[in-house]
């Protein structure tokens, strides 16, 4: 390209917009400033002006069309200021999309502002690329739909013809024939351009399942192969689909935080009652060999398995997604067990995982139901079983116990042994500053089936009633309090699964707390 041609093209652009060269402030009346958008289009191969290009301007929410003239120029007058987009289309070239901003709005509006694109070099769409796809045993991979992608779609010569390539992709698809041969057409013609830098084509091979019957196993997990089109030229490269040695099958992402493994002390995972619950792995899964079991807290049997009336399972490549219909119970804990399999017939890897999760609690925490159990009437050994409306706990795995310095129970009755019969003159009595360390509140969290273990949250709690002097049992209608707020140990703060602090409770020893 000689200097004369470069200067002549630049001059054409200036002449094209000469009518808009004078920019003047306008009176601020509330009306939107108007301006001109124009530019020049050339062939990226010859650098000659390109006529007959369809130009679409998107500005102010309204599309306007024009066609480039013999000098490759286009111009749109009376364009409202603001963001604009220009689309260039030609039957023999790849289309181009450009964005810009037409000045004129603001504190000091400018009328007759101008925005110039280019020169823009369009690339011929006559490029093609062929490849031969075979498996590692030499057999052809026929009937596989592949995708070819390039990342250069046009050239921007605004800076004195020092080309700036676009970062817009061209993507085409084609299927291999019975011999494994594939040919992609409609690509940028980098052989005509002679550009060995921006000419990379990436061939994307999807996961390929085994042809034999039985479980849906993958013969090839998928991959990307890149080539310089000018270096390859007329040669047809061979892509060998080598089955990689499979490493451990691991979870890479999930809305069950404890499955990801990277979080030391994950917060409880709250899943919508209808789902979705998703688990993504580092390898494509075998759908027929992957299974799910779901348990509700306290249910000794399997509540549901995958593809039942409760759990709907779908597997897409490496991701399991579950939905629930009918919806799961609100304010409840569930435990899930996952058996996932990846690999091909002669090389399988397995993942076994488990995790608790919770459905969203109610906005306001409800008081628990209560049941009084007489262990030994002669010794007045009695236990109160509490069933809260939602799982609560400290999040510490294992049995959560509140006793000694972290005791929380107070009773509105004279526990003795201080003489005088007053209430509040002994620890554990309502009105006293301290409670009795031997009055223990602890969980009755069921051990879930399988290896999941305790979550540290449960609906089920219990405490032993104190024995009154005499000895005697605590009367049925006795008020009592559970004062969680007095626990100073940060590791034993009682929480809801959404992180809110559990409030103190006041009730009476009836069947149900009012």
């Amino acid at each position: 390209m000689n200097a004369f041609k470069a200067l002549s093209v630049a001059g054409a652009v200036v002449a094209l917009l000469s009518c808009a060269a004078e920019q003047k402030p306008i009176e601020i009346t509330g009306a939107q400033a108007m301006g001109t958008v124009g530019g020049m289009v050339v062939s990226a191969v010859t650098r000659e002006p390109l006529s007959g290009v369809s130009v679409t301007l998107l500005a102010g929410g309204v599309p306007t069309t024009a066609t480039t003239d013999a000098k490759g120029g286009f111009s749109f007058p009376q364009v409202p200021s603001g963001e604009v987009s220009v689309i260039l289309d030609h039957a023999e070239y790849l289309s181009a999309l450009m964005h810009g901003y037409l000045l004129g709005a603001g504190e000091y509006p400018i009328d007759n502002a101008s925005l110039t694109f280019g020169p823009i070099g369009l690339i011929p769409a006559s490029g093609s690329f062929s490849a031969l796809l075979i498996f590692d045993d030499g057999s052809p991979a026929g009937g596989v739909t592949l995708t070819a992608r390039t990342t250069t779609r046009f050239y921007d010569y605004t800076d004195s013809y020092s080309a700036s390539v676009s970062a817009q992709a061209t993507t085409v698809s084609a299927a291999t024939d019975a011999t494994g041969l594939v040919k992609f057409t409609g690509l940028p013609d980098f052989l005509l351009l002679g550009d060995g830098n921006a000419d990379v084509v990436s061939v994307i091979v999807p996961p390929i399942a085994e042809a034999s019957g039985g479980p849906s196993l993958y013969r090839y997990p998928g991959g990307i192969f890149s080539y310089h089109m000018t270096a390859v030229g007329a040669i047809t490269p061979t892509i060998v689909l080598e089955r990689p040695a499979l490493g451990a099958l691991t979870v890479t992402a999930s809305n069950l935080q404890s499955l990801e493994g990277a979080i030391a002390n994950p917060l409880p995972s709250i899943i919508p009652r209808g789902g979705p619950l998703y688990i993504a792995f580092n390898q494509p899964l075998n759908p027929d060999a992957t299974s799910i079991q779901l348990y509700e807290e306290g249910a000794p049997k399997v509540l549901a398995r995958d593809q039942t009336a409760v759990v709907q399972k779908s597997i897409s490549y490496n991701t399991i997604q579950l939905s629930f219909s009918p919806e799961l119970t609100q304010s409840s804990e569930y435990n899930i067990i996952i058996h996932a399999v990846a690999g091909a017939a002669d090389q399988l890897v397995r993942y076994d995982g488990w995790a608790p999760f919770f459905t969203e609690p109610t906005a306001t925490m409800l008081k628990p139901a209560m049941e009084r159990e007489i262990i030994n009437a002669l010794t007045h050994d009695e236990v109160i079983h509490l069933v809260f409306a939602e799982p609560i706990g400290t999040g510490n795995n294992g049995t959560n116990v509140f006793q000694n310095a972290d005791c929380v129970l107070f009773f509105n009755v004279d526990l003795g042994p201080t003489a005088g019969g007053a209430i509040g003159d002994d620890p554990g009595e309502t009105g006293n500053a301290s409670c009795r360390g031997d009055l223990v509140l602890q969980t009755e969290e069921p051990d879930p089936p399988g290896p999941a273990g305790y979550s540290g949250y449960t609906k089920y709690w219990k405490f032993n009633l104190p024995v009154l002097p005499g000895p005697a049992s605590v009367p049925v209608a006795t008020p009592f309090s559970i004062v969680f707020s007095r626990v100073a140990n940060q590791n034993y703060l009682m929480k809801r699964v959404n992180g809110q602090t559990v409030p103190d409770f006041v009730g009476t020893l009836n069947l149900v707390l009012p």
Side-chain angles (χ1 to χ4, degrees), residues 188-371:
D189 199 331
F190 292 111
L191 294 181
L192 282 177
L193 289 169
D195 187 343
N197 296 316
D199 65 337
V200 175
V201 58
S202 296
V203 178
I204 303 169
V205 182
I208 301 174
E210 289 282 2
S212 59
S216 299
L217 303 178
Y218 286 96
R219 183 171 183 178
Y220 179 71
I224 300 176
F225 303 84
S226 297
Y227 303 90
H228 282 276
M229 294 176 67
T230 54
V232 171
I235 300 173
T236 300
T238 299
I239 300 176
V240 180
L241 306 181
E242 296 181 354
R243 182 178 299 163
L246 298 179
L249 183 61
T250 60
V251 174
T252 57
S254 176
N255 51 356
L256 297 184
Q257 292 188 23
S258 58
L259 287 180
E260 293 184 306
I263 303 174
N265 296 299
L267 297 173
S269 297
I270 299 177
I271 303 298
R273 294 168 60 191
L277 187 160
Y278 74 88
I279 310 164
F281 292 85
N282 63 335
Q283 300 176 44
L285 299 176
N286 175 346
D288 297 333
T290 297
S291 64
I292 298 293
Q293 294 179 349
L294 184 68
Y295 300 86
E296 187 172 9
E297 184 188 34
K301 297 181 180 180
V302 178
L303 173 69
R305 296 181 186 273
D306 50 293
Q307 302 298 5
T308 67
V310 175
V311 179
Q312 289 78 51
K313 178 188 72 174
S314 64
I315 296 180
S316 176
Y317 187 51
N318 67 331
T319 301
I320 302 172
Q321 181 163 304
L322 307 178
S323 58
F324 310 104
S325 180
E327 292 184 341
L328 301 179
T329 305
Q330 187 175 19
S331 304
S332 294
E333 177 180 351
Y334 293 85
N335 285 279
I336 189 170
I337 298 177
I338 308 107
H339 302 286
V341 175
D346 58 348
Q347 187 180 178
L348 297 175
V349 288
R350 182 184 180 95
Y351 170 89
D352 293 303
W354 47 87
F357 69 89
F358 303 85
T359 51
E360 61 271 23
T362 55
T364 303
M365 187 169 179
L366 304 177
K367 291 186 176 182
M370 184 184 65
E371 180 179 297

Side-chain angles (χ1 to χ4, degrees), residues 129-134 139-146 174-184 234-239:
F129 184 81
S130 298
L132 183 66
L133 195 68
I134 63 173
S139 60
V144 180
T145 299
L146 309 179
T176 58
D177 62 18
T179 67
L181 184 66
V182 63
K183 182 176 182 179
F184 302 99
I235 300 173
T236 300
T238 299
I239 300 176

